[in-house]
Amino acid sequence: MDLVAFCQFLPGPASSQVGIALGLSRAGYCGALAAWAGFTLPSAIALILFALGLSSYGDYVSQGALHGLKVVAVAVVAQAVWGMARNLCTDGKRVTIMAIATCVVLLVPSAWGQIGVIVMAGIAGWLLFKPAQIIEHDPLPITVSLRTGVFWLSLFFILLIGLPVLTKLIPSQTIAMVDSFYRAGSLVFGGGHVVLPLLQAEVVPSGWVSNEAFLAGYGAAQAVPGPLFTFSAFLGASMNTVLSGWVNGIVCLLAIFTPSFLLVVGVLPFWERLRCNLGIQAALAGINAAVVGLLMAALYYPVWTSAIFQPQDFGLALVALIALMFWKLPPWLVVISSGVVGWLLSFAL
């Protein structure tokens, strides 16, 4: 549980970071890489294959089925918003931060607007909340020295600041792609679903991926096991560049997960001090509330506005939401069923 708390403290996909930390504690850096590969590659390979199939045979795929995938994304994100709001927005102050974050992100639809919201929410949380001190806990098996931790943290910030500068100096789509996905992996708090608005702001307005393909891939990502961050592999494989779809997918996958490696190894030596700092805990409470707001904004745009056009779309999304939340059906079954229903509705209308 202490390891889970440590990974929830960091930006990035907590489930993958738990695996990385377990591998690190058991077998060093090679163990961390092996744990990540075993946890990540199955879904990444499946999504790259889906992206390549969609780009090659998309004309033969029913538009109704693709629309069904976009509709089921509404249900998936709505379920995530509901679950996160219940856990992270437990009083009026947190709900207010959530609502303000939603409005600001919708009015300033860019990745930097979302980053600004997270920073301001952290400051608000630090000022508003007074968390209780947690004393009893089990220490983590730390195998990294403080000096090594400083090195990896420095590399994390050098890349976070340097990649945007390098993108301006060298007009290369590959460098811009690495910068976008590295930044998304560095700034996502609250779980995999929150990466949706950050990635959408990076890849859709730039024309790298169409909004239709983005949402269809997001729906398909619910049907495969593994961390949702592997959605990056789908996006990379969907881009038209001088590199092949496989290379693009792997580059984007590595770019979005690299911050997780650097942060786990860099922050782990300092965790005992950080976990007892009430100011950091208060700031995280504000950030978590804002994260729900970011996901709420994504639920409206682009998910809702790109999928719900007619009453039957709303009905399909409602049934999918009930199937996920109350019937407890597996997400892959709900996704496939929504695609089939979308295909059938295309004949009925």
Side-chain angles (χ1 to χ4, degrees), residues 217-239:
Y218 184 75
Q222 315 302 321
V224 297
L228 194 57
F229 266 48
T230 54
F231 178 44
S232 60
F234 169 87
L235 294 176
S238 300
M239 297 179 190

Short mmCIF file of all heavy atoms in Angstrom, two decimals, residues 217-239:
data_model
loop_
_atom_site.label_atom_id
_atom_site.label_comp_id
_atom_site.label_asym_id
_atom_site.label_seq_id
_atom_site.Cartn_x
_atom_site.Cartn_y
_atom_site.Cartn_z
N GLY A 217 -9.83 5.05 -31.61
CA GLY A 217 -8.72 4.38 -30.95
C GLY A 217 -8.86 4.37 -29.45
O GLY A 217 -8.52 3.39 -28.77
N TYR A 218 -9.39 5.47 -28.90
CA TYR A 218 -9.60 5.53 -27.45
C TYR A 218 -10.64 4.50 -27.02
O TYR A 218 -10.48 3.84 -25.99
CB TYR A 218 -10.06 6.93 -27.05
CG TYR A 218 -10.22 7.11 -25.56
CD1 TYR A 218 -9.10 7.24 -24.74
CD2 TYR A 218 -11.47 7.15 -24.97
CE1 TYR A 218 -9.24 7.40 -23.38
CE2 TYR A 218 -11.62 7.30 -23.61
CZ TYR A 218 -10.49 7.44 -22.82
OH TYR A 218 -10.63 7.59 -21.45
N GLY A 219 -11.68 4.34 -27.83
CA GLY A 219 -12.66 3.30 -27.53
C GLY A 219 -12.04 1.92 -27.60
O GLY A 219 -12.28 1.07 -26.74
N ALA A 220 -11.20 1.68 -28.63
CA ALA A 220 -10.56 0.38 -28.77
C ALA A 220 -9.60 0.11 -27.62
O ALA A 220 -9.40 -1.05 -27.22
CB ALA A 220 -9.82 0.30 -30.10
N ALA A 221 -8.98 1.17 -27.09
CA ALA A 221 -8.03 1.00 -25.99
C ALA A 221 -8.70 0.42 -24.74
O ALA A 221 -8.03 -0.18 -23.90
CB ALA A 221 -7.37 2.34 -25.65
N GLN A 222 -10.04 0.61 -24.64
CA GLN A 222 -10.76 0.04 -23.50
C GLN A 222 -10.93 -1.47 -23.65
O GLN A 222 -11.22 -2.17 -22.66
CB GLN A 222 -12.14 0.68 -23.36
CG GLN A 222 -12.18 2.18 -23.49
CD GLN A 222 -11.28 2.87 -22.48
OE1 GLN A 222 -11.20 2.45 -21.33
NE2 GLN A 222 -10.61 3.94 -22.91
N ALA A 223 -10.78 -1.97 -24.86
CA ALA A 223 -11.04 -3.39 -25.11
C ALA A 223 -9.82 -4.27 -24.92
O ALA A 223 -9.93 -5.49 -25.00
CB ALA A 223 -11.58 -3.58 -26.53
N VAL A 224 -8.66 -3.66 -24.68
CA VAL A 224 -7.44 -4.46 -24.49
C VAL A 224 -6.98 -4.31 -23.05
O VAL A 224 -7.18 -3.27 -22.42
CB VAL A 224 -6.32 -4.02 -25.47
CG1 VAL A 224 -6.74 -4.26 -26.90
CG2 VAL A 224 -5.97 -2.55 -25.27
N PRO A 225 -6.36 -5.35 -22.49
CA PRO A 225 -5.83 -5.23 -21.14
C PRO A 225 -4.58 -4.36 -21.11
O PRO A 225 -3.98 -4.10 -22.15
CB PRO A 225 -5.49 -6.68 -20.77
CG PRO A 225 -5.19 -7.32 -22.09
CD PRO A 225 -6.11 -6.66 -23.09
N GLY A 226 -4.22 -3.93 -19.92
CA GLY A 226 -3.00 -3.14 -19.80
C GLY A 226 -3.28 -1.68 -19.53
O GLY A 226 -4.43 -1.23 -19.51
N PRO A 227 -2.24 -0.88 -19.32
CA PRO A 227 -2.40 0.53 -18.97
C PRO A 227 -2.94 1.35 -20.14
O PRO A 227 -2.60 1.08 -21.30
CB PRO A 227 -0.98 0.97 -18.61
CG PRO A 227 -0.09 0.02 -19.34
CD PRO A 227 -0.82 -1.29 -19.38
N LEU A 228 -3.76 2.34 -19.85
CA LEU A 228 -4.37 3.16 -20.89
C LEU A 228 -3.33 4.02 -21.61
O LEU A 228 -3.58 4.49 -22.72
CB LEU A 228 -5.46 4.03 -20.29
CG LEU A 228 -6.41 4.71 -21.25
CD1 LEU A 228 -7.10 3.69 -22.16
CD2 LEU A 228 -7.47 5.51 -20.50
N PHE A 229 -2.16 4.21 -21.00
CA PHE A 229 -1.12 4.99 -21.66
C PHE A 229 -0.65 4.33 -22.96
O PHE A 229 -0.01 4.98 -23.78
CB PHE A 229 0.07 5.18 -20.72
CG PHE A 229 0.03 6.47 -19.94
CD1 PHE A 229 -1.12 6.85 -19.28
CD2 PHE A 229 1.14 7.28 -19.85
CE1 PHE A 229 -1.17 8.03 -18.56
CE2 PHE A 229 1.11 8.47 -19.13
CZ PHE A 229 -0.04 8.84 -18.49
N THR A 230 -0.94 3.05 -23.15
CA THR A 230 -0.56 2.41 -24.41
C THR A 230 -1.38 2.95 -25.58
O THR A 230 -1.08 2.64 -26.74
CB THR A 230 -0.73 0.89 -24.33
OG1 THR A 230 -2.07 0.58 -23.91
CG2 THR A 230 0.25 0.29 -23.33
N PHE A 231 -2.39 3.76 -25.30
CA PHE A 231 -3.11 4.49 -26.35
C PHE A 231 -2.13 5.31 -27.19
O PHE A 231 -2.36 5.56 -28.37
CB PHE A 231 -4.16 5.38 -25.68
CG PHE A 231 -4.96 6.23 -26.62
CD1 PHE A 231 -5.47 5.72 -27.81
CD2 PHE A 231 -5.23 7.56 -26.32
CE1 PHE A 231 -6.22 6.51 -28.67
CE2 PHE A 231 -5.98 8.35 -27.16
CZ PHE A 231 -6.48 7.82 -28.34
N SER A 232 -1.01 5.70 -26.57
CA SER A 232 0.02 6.45 -27.31
C SER A 232 0.56 5.64 -28.48
O SER A 232 0.91 6.21 -29.52
CB SER A 232 1.15 6.83 -26.36
OG SER A 232 1.75 5.67 -25.80
N ALA A 233 0.65 4.32 -28.31
CA ALA A 233 1.15 3.49 -29.41
C ALA A 233 0.19 3.53 -30.59
O ALA A 233 0.62 3.56 -31.76
CB ALA A 233 1.34 2.05 -28.92
N PHE A 234 -1.11 3.52 -30.32
CA PHE A 234 -2.11 3.65 -31.39
C PHE A 234 -1.94 4.98 -32.11
O PHE A 234 -1.96 5.03 -33.35
CB PHE A 234 -3.52 3.53 -30.81
CG PHE A 234 -4.60 3.91 -31.78
CD1 PHE A 234 -5.13 2.96 -32.65
CD2 PHE A 234 -5.08 5.21 -31.85
CE1 PHE A 234 -6.12 3.31 -33.57
CE2 PHE A 234 -6.06 5.57 -32.76
CZ PHE A 234 -6.58 4.61 -33.62
N LEU A 235 -1.80 6.06 -31.35
CA LEU A 235 -1.69 7.38 -31.97
C LEU A 235 -0.44 7.47 -32.84
O LEU A 235 -0.48 7.99 -33.96
CB LEU A 235 -1.66 8.46 -30.89
CG LEU A 235 -2.95 8.61 -30.07
CD1 LEU A 235 -2.75 9.65 -28.97
CD2 LEU A 235 -4.11 9.02 -30.95
N GLY A 236 0.68 6.96 -32.33
CA GLY A 236 1.90 7.00 -33.13
C GLY A 236 1.78 6.21 -34.41
O GLY A 236 2.19 6.66 -35.48
N ALA A 237 1.18 5.01 -34.33
CA ALA A 237 1.03 4.18 -35.52
C ALA A 237 0.03 4.77 -36.51
O ALA A 237 0.04 4.40 -37.69
CB ALA A 237 0.59 2.77 -35.11
N SER A 238 -0.84 5.68 -36.06
CA SER A 238 -1.84 6.29 -36.93
C SER A 238 -1.30 7.49 -37.70
O SER A 238 -1.97 8.00 -38.60
CB SER A 238 -3.06 6.74 -36.11
OG SER A 238 -3.66 5.64 -35.45
N MET A 239 -0.12 7.99 -37.34
CA MET A 239 0.42 9.19 -37.96
C MET A 239 1.10 8.87 -39.29
O MET A 239 1.73 7.82 -39.44
CB MET A 239 1.44 9.86 -37.02
CG MET A 239 0.85 10.34 -35.72
SD MET A 239 2.12 11.09 -34.67
CE MET A 239 1.22 11.26 -33.13
#
